[in-house]
Amino acid sequence: MSAIVPLPSNEMTSEADSKKKQQHPHPHAPAPDIPTDHNAIKTNAQKSDDDFRIYSEDTTPPRVIRHYRDMRTHQTVEFYRRMEHKYTFENGAYRRSMTIEEAFDELEQYVDSSDPDLDLPNLVHLLQTAEGIRHGGHPDWMQLVGLVHDMGKIMFLWGTNEDGQDGTSCDGKQWALGGDTWVVGCQIPDGDAVVFPEFNRLNPDMNDSRYNTKYGMYEPHCGLDRLMFAWGHDEYMYRMLVSLCVCFVFNFYPSANFCAPFLGIFMFLFPLTLFLILCRPLTPTQTIAPL
C-alpha cells in the first residue's frame, strides 16, 4: 500500500531527500518492537479521563496556548485559498511519492505542539490510537482509520514557519498542521464549541461582514463538501485520499472511514445545530455514520 504525498519540483525533492538522510542515518535499521500489552503504550497513566484535553490559560502548557492564539489569528478564508493552491492535487500534481511506512518514518520526527497531554513523536500517537481502538473491540476498518488519521501532518515536510507548518524546528509554529478545527467563512462559535474562544476576536474574518455572520459565505444545507475548514492535516489527508481514488480500498469498509480523517474532531466541537443546518438533508437510503 502506498501513498502519493506531493513534491513540486526536483529541487524540492533533492532537499527533502537530503533532509530525510539527515533525520534517518540508518534507513535500513530494524523496526522497533510494537508492544502487545495495551498498558505498555499508555502515556499520562496517572491522569483520569476527565483530566485530558483541559484548555485553560492557567494550566495549559504555553506552547499550546501560543498554538491556538496563532491559529485563531491566521486561519482565514484567504489563508485557506492560498494553501489550497499550494497543496493542490489537481491534474496529477504531487510533492513526493512514498509508502505508508516511509510516511510513518517521517512522523517519528514530528511532535504536535497543539496537544496538551502528549509531547512524544506523532508516530507514537498513531500507534496508541490504533491500539486503543483495537483494545476497545472495534472493527478493523476503524483501527485502520485510527492508525492513519494524523498522517496528513506529513505536510510539515514542505511547510514553513511563516505558514504555521514548521515541524522540524524545536520551537517551530504549527498552527496550520494540527489543532482543533472549525469552519472558516462564517462566525466562529463561542463557549465550549471551540478551544480558547477568547481568541476568536483575533481572527481578521470576524471583522469582515462577508464572514462574521451565523452562516457567513454559506447557505443552509449547502453540504460539507462546500465548507472551508481551518487548514491543517485533516484537510490535507482528505485531499490526498480523494486524489488517490482510495475508494477501491475503502469499498470494503463503511464509508465513515473516508470521512473521519477529514472531519477530525470537528464534529465533536462545532455546534450540532449549525452542523446539521449546513449538512445536506439525508436521502431515504442514507444513514448517519456510527462514529
Side-chain angles (χ1 to χ4, degrees), residues 267-282:
M267 291 183 65
F268 300 101
L269 293 174
F270 209 66
L272 182 61
T273 52
L274 181 55
F275 171 73
L276 293 176
I277 290 174
L278 291 174
C279 286
R280 292 192 184 95
L282 295 175

Side-chain angles (χ1 to χ4, degrees), residues 51 61 74 95 155 169 184 213 227 252 261 274 287:
D51 291 332
H74 301 293
R95 279 145 286 282
M155 186 170 50
S169 303
V184 298
T213 59
L227 304 183
F252 297 102
L274 181 55
T287 58

Side-chain angles (χ1 to χ4, degrees), residues 88-94:
T88 182
F89 286 87
E90 293 183 356
N91 301 318
Y94 70 95

Side-chain angles (χ1 to χ4, degrees), residues 182-226:
W182 69 93
V183 175
V184 298
C186 63
Q187 187 179 59
I188 305 174
D190 292 319
D192 295 334
V194 293
V195 172
F196 292 117
E198 58 267 34
F199 295 152
N200 288 357
R201 58 183 174 79
L202 303 177
N203 191 278
D205 284 354
M206 294 305 95
N207 294 317
D208 190 323
S209 59
R210 295 173 297 174
Y211 308 133
N212 62 5
T213 59
K214 182 177 181 179
Y215 301 120
M217 57 190 281
Y218 307 108
E219 296 291 336
H221 303 300
C222 62
L224 291 183
D225 58 330
R226 298 295 182 90

Side-chain angles (χ1 to χ4, degrees), residues 142-159:
M142 189 177 290
Q143 297 171 41
L144 173 62
V145 172
L147 183 63
V148 303
H149 79 281
D150 266 359
M151 201 169 68
K153 290 174 182 175
I154 198 73
M155 186 170 50
F156 83 87
L157 292 176
W158 310 290

Side-chain angles (χ1 to χ4, degrees), residues 223-290:
L224 291 183
D225 58 330
R226 298 295 182 90
L227 304 183
M228 294 182 181
F229 291 79
W231 187 273
H233 69 282
D234 296 320
E235 182 78 35
Y236 186 84
M237 179 71 173
Y238 173 77
R239 290 169 177 268
M240 182 178 69
L241 294 178
V242 170
S243 74
L244 289 171
C245 299
V246 293
C247 55
F248 78 91
V249 174
F250 285 172
N251 274 343
F252 297 102
Y253 301 102
S255 60
N257 59 25
F258 192 73
C259 300
F262 173 53
L263 295 179
I265 55 175
F266 159 77
M267 291 183 65
F268 300 101
L269 293 174
F270 209 66
L272 182 61
T273 52
L274 181 55
F275 171 73
L276 293 176
I277 290 174
L278 291 174
C279 286
R280 292 192 184 95
L282 295 175
T283 66
T285 60
Q286 289 177 316
T287 58
I288 296 177

Side-chain angles (χ1 to χ4, degrees), residues 2-275:
S2 61
I4 303 295
V5 199
L7 234 178
S9 69
N10 291 333
E11 289 77 14
M12 290 188 70
T13 304
S14 299
E15 181 182 345
D17 290 342
S18 175
K19 179 188 295 185
K20 183 175 180 180
K21 289 178 181 178
Q22 294 174 5
Q23 292 177 338
H24 306 287
H26 305 292
H28 302 296
D33 292 333
I34 299 177
T36 56
D37 178 8
H38 177 253
N39 292 321
I41 64 169
K42 276 190 174 181
T43 53
N44 292 310
Q46 75 281 3
K47 285 188 175 183
S48 68
D49 290 348
D50 293 335
D51 291 332
F52 284 92
R53 296 188 62 79
I54 300 298
Y55 296 95
S56 165
E57 291 196 68
D58 295 328
T59 59
T60 301
R63 60 175 171 80
V64 178
I65 297 174
R66 186 192 74 169
H67 179 99
Y68 280 102
R69 182 185 294 111
D70 288 343
M71 193 175 185
R72 212 62 51 80
T73 300
H74 301 293
Q75 289 278 7
T76 63
V77 171
E78 187 278 331
F79 178 78
Y80 177 98
R81 288 172 173 159
R82 185 155 58 85
M83 293 299 102
E84 183 180 37
H85 176 74
K86 176 180 178 179
Y87 292 109
T88 182
F89 286 87
E90 293 183 356
N91 301 318
Y94 70 95
R95 279 145 286 282
R96 178 171 162 189
S97 178
M98 64 178 73
T99 66
I100 297 292
E101 185 176 2
E102 288 171 337
F104 284 175
D105 284 345
E106 298 291 358
L107 290 174
E108 196 170 4
Q109 311 300 318
Y110 174 80
V111 177
D112 187 348
S113 68
S114 71
D115 195 325
D117 305 304
L118 189 69
D119 57 1
L120 296 174
N122 208 236
L123 178 59
V124 175
H125 170 62
L126 296 180
L127 294 173
Q128 284 181 315
T129 302
E131 174 61 11
I133 294 172
R134 186 194 67 81
H135 184 74
H138 299 293
D140 55 358
W141 67 263
M142 189 177 290
Q143 297 171 41
L144 173 62
V145 172
L147 183 63
V148 303
H149 79 281
D150 266 359
M151 201 169 68
K153 290 174 182 175
I154 198 73
M155 186 170 50
F156 83 87
L157 292 176
W158 310 290
T160 65
N161 198 60
E162 180 184 8
D163 288 338
Q165 295 162 5
D166 183 352
T168 58
S169 303
C170 62
D171 198 31
K173 294 187 176 183
Q174 300 178 15
W175 50 264
L177 282 171
D180 294 0
T181 188
W182 69 93
V183 175
V184 298
C186 63
Q187 187 179 59
I188 305 174
D190 292 319
D192 295 334
V194 293
V195 172
F196 292 117
E198 58 267 34
F199 295 152
N200 288 357
R201 58 183 174 79
L202 303 177
N203 191 278
D205 284 354
M206 294 305 95
N207 294 317
D208 190 323
S209 59
R210 295 173 297 174
Y211 308 133
N212 62 5
T213 59
K214 182 177 181 179
Y215 301 120
M217 57 190 281
Y218 307 108
E219 296 291 336
H221 303 300
C222 62
L224 291 183
D225 58 330
R226 298 295 182 90
L227 304 183
M228 294 182 181
F229 291 79
W231 187 273
H233 69 282
D234 296 320
E235 182 78 35
Y236 186 84
M237 179 71 173
Y238 173 77
R239 290 169 177 268
M240 182 178 69
L241 294 178
V242 170
S243 74
L244 289 171
C245 299
V246 293
C247 55
F248 78 91
V249 174
F250 285 172
N251 274 343
F252 297 102
Y253 301 102
S255 60
N257 59 25
F258 192 73
C259 300
F262 173 53
L263 295 179
I265 55 175
F266 159 77
M267 291 183 65
F268 300 101
L269 293 174
F270 209 66
L272 182 61
T273 52
L274 181 55
F275 171 73

